[in-house]
Amino acid sequence: MRSSPRAIAERIADTFEPLMRPHFTEGNRIRLLASAQPYFQALIAAIAAARRVVHLETYIFADDRRGRSIVDALTDAAGRGVQVRVLIDGFGGGEFARQLAARLPAVGAQVRLYRPQRWWQPRRGLLRRLHRKLVVIDDQLAYLGGINVNDDPERDEFTGEMIGPRFDVAVECEGPIVAAISYAVRRLWWAVAMANRGYVSEPMPRRVRPALFAQDGVRAALVLRDNLRHRHSIERSYLSSFRSARRQILVASAYFLPGRRFRSALVRAVRRGVRVNLLLQGRMEYRLQHYAQRALYGQFLDAGIEIHEYRRSYLHAKVAVVDEDWATVGSSNIDPLSLLLAREANVVVRGRAFSGELRALIESAIQTDSRQLHAADYARRSPVARVMDWIAYGLVRAATLVLARGNNY
């Protein structure tokens, strides 16, 4: 079968990516941004200070207060002569992304859509989405995490209850790791242009020179997931840390539907005496996902894994801490969409101070805003609830297999 322009572009771009494993660099400054408010404050200030280039990637770019504030910041930057590039997922971005693609070029900004596709077009490859949230400023500063460009909800969609802001996390990065993040966004920008047009006049992007490292910085690595050379990179980074865990594994994931290897690694860790705590979605956000992940809770509880359901608002973080000096923050959930299909980006940090700060954040959410699910409570579910959980689980797995097929772009 002849390859499509999308598949060709993707193969060319990723062929020139030599890093098959996370490449750690020393001397990075990684600042934790816990929740959307400090993240957008920092991001808007960074865009306002940009002098050469702003490159933003996101899954959702909403037509709301935060979305319009970012549009205004990008418009001002383009007006100062800054090169502004915005890449939005064609499915997650919705109609507003298409409007931006038509509007922003008039002020000097460039917008591209990743696999433009609407919800009523369930073609093969529908679930191969751009789920990364990356921003690079002047090749010196980068932002990475799970926070989309949209407002926090004010109410629970199903109960109508007033809720707080999403529990979400991002990081601000300085140092040598920014060069890897910059190269990743430039490479995908080039590949999308090739896919959409069939040709690109601009040359294949080259790596930028890494920034000088800070003496008080930490070891950190960018870990990507794509559909070619990095299919399992993020999952492997988790599994490697689980195998070496000696005291504690702490995972917070908005959508938690891990495969067999991931589940087995957690169970084996418990058998070695490691305490495993999972902070998972307590409120129903998407019905199918909610019921599907609950089908697996019995296995975790029987193994001695602690499950805490976040109740204050919606959980959207994708973070983990293992022992005292391994931590990850990123866009990747622990589910088939993130681990098998979507383009994702995580940062892995080796450092006691950062790991301790992230651990304290997760443990605070567990202690004050969550409810522990005990094995006895889970066992008391009705037969109807149990059947619904496993039906939902089967549907999610089947949809993944059917809609995942398609080219590798």
Side-chain angles (χ1 to χ4, degrees):
M1 181 182 294
R2 191 174 67 177
S3 297
S4 69
R6 287 175 176 168
I8 293 172
E10 188 73 1
R11 291 190 181 103
I12 292 174
D14 285 340
T15 295
F16 287 85
E17 173 52 74
L19 302 178
M20 295 295 290
R21 297 178 180 177
H23 177 67
F24 281 89
T25 57
E26 305 283 348
N28 298 285
R29 290 197 175 113
I30 311 292
R31 181 163 74 101
L32 191 66
L33 299 169
S35 82
Q37 184 173 350
Y39 169 74
F40 283 107
Q41 288 176 345
L43 179 58
I44 290 173
I47 295 173
R51 294 293 175 263
R52 295 187 297 104
V53 60
V54 173
H55 198 137
L56 183 149
E57 284 184 10
T58 186
Y59 177 65
I60 295 173
F61 201 130
D63 185 12
D64 56 23
R65 177 178 55 84
R66 282 194 177 127
R68 289 188 291 272
S69 70
I70 296 299
V71 171
D72 290 343
L74 295 174
T75 300
D76 291 344
R80 300 193 308 270
V82 175
Q83 182 183 52
V84 174
R85 292 177 167 182
V86 180
L87 181 61
I88 309 172
D89 184 77
F91 184 81
E95 192 57 38
F96 187 55
R98 294 169 179 80
Q99 295 173 15
L100 290 179
R103 248 174 60 196
L104 286 183
V107 300
Q110 296 174 274
V111 180
R112 291 174 183 170
L113 301 183
Y114 181 90
R115 293 178 65 89
Q117 197 163 347
R118 292 175 168 84
W119 64 268
W120 61 84
Q121 300 172 313
R123 297 194 295 256
R124 290 189 311 169
L126 172 67
L127 300 182
R128 295 188 184 277
R129 307 314 322 169
L130 173 66
H131 197 242
R132 311 190 314 198
K133 292 88 177 174
L134 296 174
V135 184
V136 179
I137 310 289
D138 291 341
D139 297 324
Q140 298 297 313
L141 185 66
Y143 295 88
L144 179 155
I147 302 175
N148 287 294
V149 183
N150 61 347
D151 285 340
D152 285 314
E154 296 182 351
R155 294 180 180 272
D156 185 300
E157 182 179 348
F158 291 92
T159 67
E161 177 188 357
M162 294 292 293
I163 58 176
R166 294 183 187 91
F167 180 55
D168 213 342
V169 180
V171 289
E172 180 184 78
C173 305
E174 295 180 275
I177 193 173
V178 177
I181 299 172
S182 177
Y183 180 61
V185 298
R186 291 172 186 272
R187 198 177 78 248
L188 186 56
W189 178 263
W190 182 91
V192 169
M194 172 72 86
N196 291 343
R197 303 174 190 169
Y199 70 94
V200 179
S201 57
E202 59 196 80
M204 171 80 71
R206 296 182 178 180
R207 290 182 177 274
V208 298
R209 180 176 296 179
L212 296 177
F213 70 92
Q215 294 291 342
D216 59 345
V218 297
R219 296 182 68 219
L222 174 68
V223 187
L224 302 176
R225 205 225 74 86
D226 58 38
N227 293 309
L228 284 170
R229 301 187 69 182
H230 300 279
R231 286 180 182 271
H232 304 291
S233 295
I234 290 177
E235 183 178 18
R236 285 171 180 160
S237 72
Y238 272 102
L239 296 178
S240 176
S241 71
F242 294 167
R243 284 193 292 268
S244 63
R246 293 295 176 265
R247 284 165 292 281
Q248 183 186 41
I249 294 173
L250 192 56
V251 177
S253 181
Y255 312 117
F256 193 76
L257 201 65
R260 178 184 55 80
R261 290 194 303 170
F262 202 101
R263 299 196 304 270
S264 297
L266 291 176
V267 172
R268 286 195 298 269
V270 173
R271 291 172 180 168
R272 295 197 309 271
V274 177
R275 184 180 182 186
V276 178
N277 295 82
L278 305 178
L279 177 61
L280 306 180
Q281 191 78 267
R283 292 181 178 273
M284 186 184 301
E285 189 172 13
Y286 302 107
R287 288 184 185 274
L288 192 63
Q289 184 80 20
H290 179 82
Y291 290 119
Q293 75 177 33
R294 290 182 68 86
L296 300 177
Y297 286 2
Q299 178 185 358
F300 298 137
L301 293 169
D302 290 344
I305 295 172
E306 297 179 33
I307 297 177
H308 305 269
E309 296 184 315
Y310 187 75
R311 302 292 300 172
R312 184 184 174 210
S313 62
Y314 291 121
L315 172 67
H316 198 254
K318 308 94 167 52
V319 298
V321 180
V322 176
D323 290 341
E324 285 79 26
D325 71 340
W326 188 98
T328 188
V329 174
S331 64
S332 180
N333 292 297
I334 311 300
D335 69 351
L337 177 61
S338 284
L339 294 180
L340 300 176
L341 301 171
R343 283 185 167 271
E344 305 284 2
N346 280 31
V347 63
V348 174
V349 180
R350 303 303 303 266
R352 288 178 174 268
F354 182 87
S355 297
E357 185 180 5
L358 182 56
R359 181 189 301 106
L361 178 69
I362 301 171
E363 289 181 341
S364 175
I366 288 175
Q367 293 167 8
T368 62
D369 299 318
S370 305
R371 180 180 62 195
Q372 184 170 358
L373 179 63
H374 296 282
D377 298 327
Y378 183 76
R380 282 196 291 267
R381 290 177 309 146
S382 69
V384 173
R386 299 182 189 191
V387 170
M388 287 181 60
D389 289 348
W390 284 107
I391 289 175
Y393 178 81
L395 288 174
V396 168
R397 302 299 297 188
T400 301
L401 291 174
V402 172
L403 295 178
R405 295 183 179 182
N407 60 54
N408 290 321
Y409 166 65

